[in-house]
């Protein structure tokens, strides 16, 4: 007959293995939670800028580890009078693909007149590979190497524009202090994914140590040159990223020129449609050297 201590030991072992199995599943499954790359059929079809009447170069930039990063480059003719000499790099949120950001690209390229570069992180859209923090950082470095070696882009003022996860990528790029990067626009991004988890998944609040996709913006933002100007666009009622994350990033930012706008009543994904949003973005970009009049 099994002893009580044997039973208890087996029970404890079973309990431990159940939790180890589910925690291991959680450890692996988090890539799918954090990078939902198949949402909205984003792996199957990518809209292209010609559908918005915009000329573009369709490129696949190769990373040092052999992935191909799908990139759209939209340039203005720099020999024309009134050429703006600014390039906006659009860093996408974690759902959809670069095709979903084309309405934003259209505003920046057509309405405002800036060069635009946008790319799908590995694992998204037509880019190869699997999305991970290290991988996406390699993609960002690959894109910046391309920018630095490109005659027209490296000779323009570069503005990083990142929403949500894209904000973390923007802060990562800015922390490397590439010379052409003059400014950063951040919308509804987080201090780190670890710090956002208890808000999104309260039942996981004691397991954030298992989160291996950290995106430590709280730390990276300190490394950005104070000369890089920043604006922080915040949803008052962000239901995904706690609004105090943006407030704290604003405080931590070393930028000598920075400002923060809170959109009353806005949520995580509708801030961009607030009427004053694009005026704020446009005024900010115009104020970056070379200043537009
Ligand atoms: C910047 O433009 C100048 C003049 O066109 C060119 O000589 C130079 O190579 C460009 N810089 C880079 C890094 O391409
Ligand atoms: C374009 O902007 C860059 C970076 O701010 C600057 O170095 C360059 O002189 C500018 N070129 C023109 C033609 O304004
Ligand atoms: C998390 O840990 C705290 C103490 O550290 C405990 O009070 C709480 O009940 C735990 N929550 C869950 C959901 O396990
Ligand atoms: C924003 O997210 C909410 C759910 O949080 C959803 O109901 C809504 O349709 C989304 N809006 C847009 C513009 O994606």
């Amino acid at each position: 007959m099994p002893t009580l201590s044997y039973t208890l030991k087996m029970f404890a072992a079973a309990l431990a293995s159940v939790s180890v199995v589910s925690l291991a599943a959680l450890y692996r499954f988090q890539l799918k939670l954090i990078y939902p790359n198949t949402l909205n059929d984003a792996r199957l079809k990518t809209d292209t800028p010609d559908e918005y009447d915009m000329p573009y170069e369709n490129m696949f930039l190769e990373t040092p580890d052999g992935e191909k990063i799908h990139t759209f480059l939209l340039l203005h003719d720099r020999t024309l009078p009134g050429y703006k000499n600014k390039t906006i790099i659009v860093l996408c949120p974690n759902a959809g693909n670069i095709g979903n950001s084309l309405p934003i690209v259209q505003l920046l390229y057509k309405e405002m007149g800036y060069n635009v570069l946008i790319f799908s992180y590995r694992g998204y859209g037509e880019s190869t590979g699997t999305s991970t923090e290290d991988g996406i950082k390699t993609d960002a470095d690959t894109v910046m190497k391309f920018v630095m070696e490109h005659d027209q882009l490296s000779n323009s003022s570069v503005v990083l524009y990142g929403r949500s996860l894209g904000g973390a990528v923007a802060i990562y790029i800015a922390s490397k202090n590439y010379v052409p990067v003059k400014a950063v626009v951040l919308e509804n991004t987080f201090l780190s994914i670890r710090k956002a988890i208890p808000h999104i998944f309260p039942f996981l609040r004691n397991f954030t140590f298992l989160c291996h996709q950290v995106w430590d913006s709280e730390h990276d933002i300190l490394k950005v040159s104070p000369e890089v100007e920043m604006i922080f666009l915040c949803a008052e009622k962000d239901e995904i990223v706690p609004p105090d994350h943006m407030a704290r990033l604003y405080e931590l930012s070393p930028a000598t020129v920075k400002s923060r706008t809170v959109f009353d009543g806005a949520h995580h994904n509708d801030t961009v449609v607030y009427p004053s949003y694009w005026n704020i973005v446009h005024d900010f970009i115009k104020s970056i050297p070379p200043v537009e009049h």
Side-chain angles (χ1 to χ4, degrees), residues 90-104:
V90 176
L91 288 322
C92 297
N94 69 339
N97 63 37
I98 50 178
N100 302 118
S101 292
L102 288 173
I104 287 172

Side-chain angles (χ1 to χ4, degrees), residues 49 52-54 74 76 84 86 88 90 98-118 161 163 187 233 271-283 285-286 292:
Y52 291 78
D53 272 328
M54 297 185 288
L74 297 88
H76 284 286
K84 298 270 176 64
K86 285 173 186 165
I88 320 301
V90 176
I98 50 178
N100 302 118
S101 292
L102 288 173
I104 287 172
V105 172
Q106 186 178 33
L107 281 172
L108 296 166
Y109 179 80
K110 261 185 156 174
E111 308 285 324
M112 304 183 195
Y114 303 119
N115 305 317
V116 177
L117 186 150
I118 185 168
Y161 168 71
R163 307 174 55 206
E187 183 207 306
L233 306 171
T271 313
V272 67
V273 302
Y274 271 59
S276 56
Y277 181 100
W278 288 105
N279 291 335
I280 293 168
V281 171
H282 198 183
D283 287 346
I285 300 174
K286 282 197 277 192
E292 297 153 40

Side-chain angles (χ1 to χ4, degrees), residues 203-251:
F203 59 99
L204 291 178
R205 69 178 170 276
N206 290 346
F207 297 104
T208 56
F209 66 93
L210 286 174
C211 175
H212 51 66
Q213 301 296 295
V214 183
W215 291 102
D216 193 3
S217 297
E218 184 177 20
H219 181 247
D220 281 349
I221 202 166
L222 303 175
K223 296 187 252 172
V224 182
S225 160
E227 286 169 27
V228 172
E229 303 181 11
M230 292 200 178
I231 56 171
F232 297 75
L233 306 171
C234 319
E236 185 210 13
K237 294 196 156 52
D238 195 322
E239 73 287 20
I240 310 280
V241 178
D244 60 333
H245 282 219
M246 284 293 279
R248 183 73 185 130
L249 285 171
Y250 171 73
E251 285 171 19

